[in-house]
Amino acid sequence: MFTKHTVYKHDNYNMLTVEVQGKTLVVREISDQWGEVCHKFISRPEMMDWAEKRFLATDFPDGEEGLRETMEKLKSI
């Protein structure tokens, strides 16, 4: 059984989810610009390294606060 976590959901077209599939973490980025992009990680540190390189405060409607909340949610998975 998989556990699905919604990290953020700005609307039906812009969201980030993480599915925990045993030892694998499947991150799905859904955006109105790129559609759905899927990333698979074999460890949480690998996922966090990707997230730190991937996201900037300017990617979020509420800036630094949105970035901080997203990183905290990812760390808690």
Side-chain angles (χ1 to χ4, degrees):
M1 181 166 163
F2 304 137
T3 306
K4 184 176 180 179
H5 303 271
T6 301
V7 178
Y8 66 76
K9 183 173 182 175
H10 300 301
D11 53 39
N12 286 337
Y13 304 104
N14 295 286
M15 65 183 81
L16 182 72
T17 63
V18 178
E19 288 180 15
V20 179
Q21 301 178 356
K23 293 181 179 181
T24 304
L25 300 162
V26 179
V27 177
R28 295 183 196 283
E29 284 187 277
I30 301 168
S31 74
D32 54 2
Q33 200 172 25
W34 303 106
E36 182 176 321
V37 179
C38 184
H39 309 277
K40 290 187 180 185
F41 302 101
I42 55 171
S43 69
R44 282 170 177 76
E46 182 185 18
M47 177 182 70
M48 292 307 299
D49 183 57
W50 165 82
E52 289 168 3
K53 293 174 184 171
R54 163 65 182 87
F55 296 112
L56 302 171
T58 55
D59 295 330
F60 298 91
D62 48 354
E64 285 289 334
E65 183 65 20
L67 176 61
R68 188 189 61 72
E69 287 177 12
T70 296
M71 297 307 281
E72 288 297 318
K73 287 181 182 177
L74 286 170
K75 285 178 189 173
S76 72
I77 295 173

